[in-house]
């Protein structure tokens, strides 16, 4: 029997101290009385992902000197950008593996951040496997997109900030892909607010895992696939959230239409840019999937803004 | 000899109380240590202009019942949108006069907000004159884009918020068109921070007025013309800022290139949408026209985000 690792409030507090000064304290907007948007798309590299990236690297550097091979990750999306950003900021080498289908504009973006990019394999899983093989050869520090304690703990620092900025909250809505962010948020809040985990209907990784009693593979499609498209919930996410009391955590699904509508509304009503994944949590509110009670203080993490602005309006 | 009216801190405080609950408390982002962006593009209608619009209407309603003709303004831009928004929110009639060249998309936007739109005259001045004539017939409350005490005082509420949000500041940079915003900000800060008024080189209304010792007509052109394109500084603005001590106020000019660069940087580095006018104040910092001292705490008002998002990147 394997010991089950979960992320704790202490992990998140340590992460928050460690990465302070490296990440931005993104602003919170109270857009109507009791409704707060945490504008995490304004974070370095355009998403929350640098929080985990910095924490993973800095935590490793506390234990021993970083390997000469630097850091390595597989991702053509926000995680790759975040790792490349954090590595550059810390002056270390980054290798990023992306599948051959990765859009040239994304590869270019990674290279502009100084990363060494390898395009290999037909799909993400192939690129990931190649990155693991390469890490074994070079000794580079692997940075997983969600299923590592320091990564999830780093993401959770957003929740500590949020409590400081918005004061007491009843509920925090957060989008879920592989589950790094929701894990960190659950740990960071440590019961101070209820967490609602929001997934697209077409990528219900955590939802299905909670139904099945363990992470299970799901089909991935729809507008959230580029940033929320993990095909299975992380073991760390599953272990951390499945231990929550019923009233403190829930998992809901939203349609792609609701995500598209919420993203448009963020631009139209607030001039906030969000990628689809960044609008998914708000979609649960706007589409009535989650209905707050009268006077409930609710925060929504708008977690990323890496999007073509031409598609906002 | 005419008595010179200036806007005072008390005018701004009264305005701030009056419009509380009608306008948004827009967030402030500390994007690097000691550099704060006031994200006023997230305001209702996409710019600070609703602050003055609400204050003008609510102040008038305190004195006597609002006229049946409602309110009237001339503007195809942010001021028109703001007046239409405020009137709709308060359930009163709004008439907006725009020149015949006004883009159909802007006329449509005003109509969607419930305004009665009249397109008349070749240029803005003609539309403005027609609106005055119409106001004389209907008794509607005229809302000037900048040269009215309640309008400027309302805009100044942004400065009171900013001090509450960012704490002590040394300097506030603010873009100038006709001067309503800078007037309110100077009055609202009342010496608590130095004000740097930023204008495009190609629309130097306040700069020339201060040189000439009175408002003078200037040629209007360049990227800021749609939102900063007043051809003369307001009398109220001139009177309010020309009374400032030398060390507490300065007027600077920025190139169109610097404005374009600052707007791109806001998107690229922060995922903040701004129209050109909204990026003008930041342009003074980024282009080195205004150079803060070591440790100086500087705030930049990003005053509007009514822009085609396709042009952000």
């Amino acid at each position: 029997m394997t010991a089950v690792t979960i992320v704790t409030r202490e992990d998140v507090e340590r992460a928050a101290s460690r990465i302070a000064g490296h990440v931005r304290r993104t602003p919170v907007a109270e857009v109507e009385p009791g409704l707060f948007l945490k504008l995490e798309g304004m974070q370095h590299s355009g998403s929350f992902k640098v929080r985990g990236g910095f924490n993973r690297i800095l935590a490793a550097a506390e234990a021993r000197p970083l390997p000469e091979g630097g850091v390595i990750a597989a991702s053509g999306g926000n995680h790759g950008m975040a790792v490349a950003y954090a590595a550059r900021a810390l002056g270390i080498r980054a290798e990023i593996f992306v599948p051959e289908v990765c859009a040239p504009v994304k590869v270019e973006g990674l290279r502009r951040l100084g990363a060494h990019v390898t395009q290999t394999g037909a799909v993400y899983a192939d690129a990931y496997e190649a990155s693991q093989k390469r890490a074994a050869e070079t000794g580079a520090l692997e940075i997983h997109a969600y299923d590592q304690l320091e990564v999830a703990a780093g993401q959770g620092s957003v929740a500590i900030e949020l409590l400081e900025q918005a004061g007491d909250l009843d509920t925090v809505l957060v989008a879920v892909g592989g589950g790094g962010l929701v894990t960190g948020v659950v740990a960071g809040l440590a019961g101070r607010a209820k967490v609602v985990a929001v997934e697209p209907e077409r990528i219900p990784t955590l939802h299905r895992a909670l139904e099945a009693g363990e992470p299970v593979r799901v089909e991935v499609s729809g507008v959230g696939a580029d940033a929320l498209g993990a095909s299975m919930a992380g073991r760390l996410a599953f272990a951390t959230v499945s231990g929550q009391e019923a009233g403190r955590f829930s998992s809901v699904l939203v349609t792609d239409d609701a995500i598209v509508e919420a993203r448009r509304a963020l631009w139209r009503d607030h001039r906030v840019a969000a990628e689809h994944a960044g609008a998914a949590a708000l979609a649960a509110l706007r589409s009535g999937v989650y209905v707050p009670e009268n006077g409930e203080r609710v925060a929504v993490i708008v977690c990323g803004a890496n999007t073509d602005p031409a598609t906002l309006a």
Side-chain angles (χ1 to χ4, degrees), chain A:
Chain A
M1 198 177 140
T2 327
V4 177
T5 302
I6 65 164
V7 182
T8 65
R9 166 90 184 180
E10 290 63 43
D11 295 323
V12 178
E13 282 171 356
R14 259 196 303 275
S17 314
R18 208 177 262 137
I19 67 179
H22 295 285
V23 302
R24 292 191 180 129
R25 189 179 172 87
T26 53
V28 169
E30 186 171 5
V31 292
E32 51 186 81
L35 176 57
F36 301 85
L37 303 182
K38 175 71 168 161
L39 302 176
E40 189 65 9
M42 290 182 64
Q43 188 52 264
H44 291 302
S45 83
S47 85
F48 68 94
K49 290 275 190 179
V50 285
R51 295 176 181 269
F54 273 113
N55 191 48
R56 170 79 172 145
I57 300 172
L58 294 170
E62 284 171 12
R64 63 184 65 84
L66 288 172
E68 280 184 27
V71 297
I72 192 165
S75 160
N78 288 341
H79 177 57
M81 294 279 287
V83 169
Y85 179 92
R88 188 185 60 172
L90 298 170
I92 60 179
R93 176 183 169 87
E95 281 192 60
I96 310 290
F97 279 61
V98 302
E100 278 152 13
V101 293
C102 186
V105 61
K106 295 192 174 180
V107 174
E108 259 322 290
L110 291 166
R111 292 203 168 119
R112 264 203 307 278
L113 285 169
H116 301 264
V117 182
T118 303
Q119 281 194 274
T120 182
V123 295
Y124 170 78
D126 301 328
Y128 177 60
E129 202 177 303
S131 77
Q132 289 187 296
K133 208 181 269 180
R134 171 78 178 159
E137 289 162 21
T138 66
L141 179 73
E142 288 185 77
I143 308 185
H144 195 274
Y146 48 88
D147 211 10
Q148 277 172 341
L149 189 140
E150 296 85 358
V151 169
Q155 320 303 23
S157 63
V158 75
I160 290 183
E161 274 182 28
L162 178 58
L163 288 173
E164 290 169 357
Q165 294 169 303
D168 285 343
L169 288 169
D170 296 301
T171 309
V172 177
L173 286 95
V174 53
V176 177
L181 178 59
V182 73
T183 300
V185 167
V186 162
L189 293 174
R192 288 168 181 79
K194 179 172 66 174
V195 173
V196 179
V198 183
E199 293 178 286
E201 279 184 354
R202 297 169 72 177
I203 323 172
T205 52
L206 186 62
H207 204 77
R208 289 282 171 275
L210 292 167
E211 285 174 349
E214 63 176 341
V216 289
R217 197 161 294 279
V218 303
E219 290 293 310
V220 168
S221 65
V223 298
D226 60 339
L228 301 177
S231 58
M232 234 168 115
R235 303 217 148 252
L236 194 58
F238 179 74
T240 303
V241 310
S242 61
Q244 297 295 301
E245 287 173 45
R248 307 311 292 161
F249 179 83
S250 62
S251 159
V252 302
L253 302 177
V254 292
T255 64
D256 274 16
D257 284 352
I259 294 173
V260 168
E261 193 281 333
R263 178 167 172 270
R264 294 242 164 96
L266 278 170
W267 173 256
R268 184 188 62 228
D269 299 342
H270 302 290
R271 300 290 188 270
V272 167
E275 58 196 86
H276 286 112
L282 183 63
L285 268 188
R286 292 186 60 92
S287 67
V289 163
Y290 181 77
V291 182
E293 289 178 29
N294 232 337
E296 189 173 327
R297 289 169 65 85
V298 178
V300 174
I301 301 179
V302 181
C303 57
N306 286 326
T307 194
D308 177 355
T311 65
L312 288 171

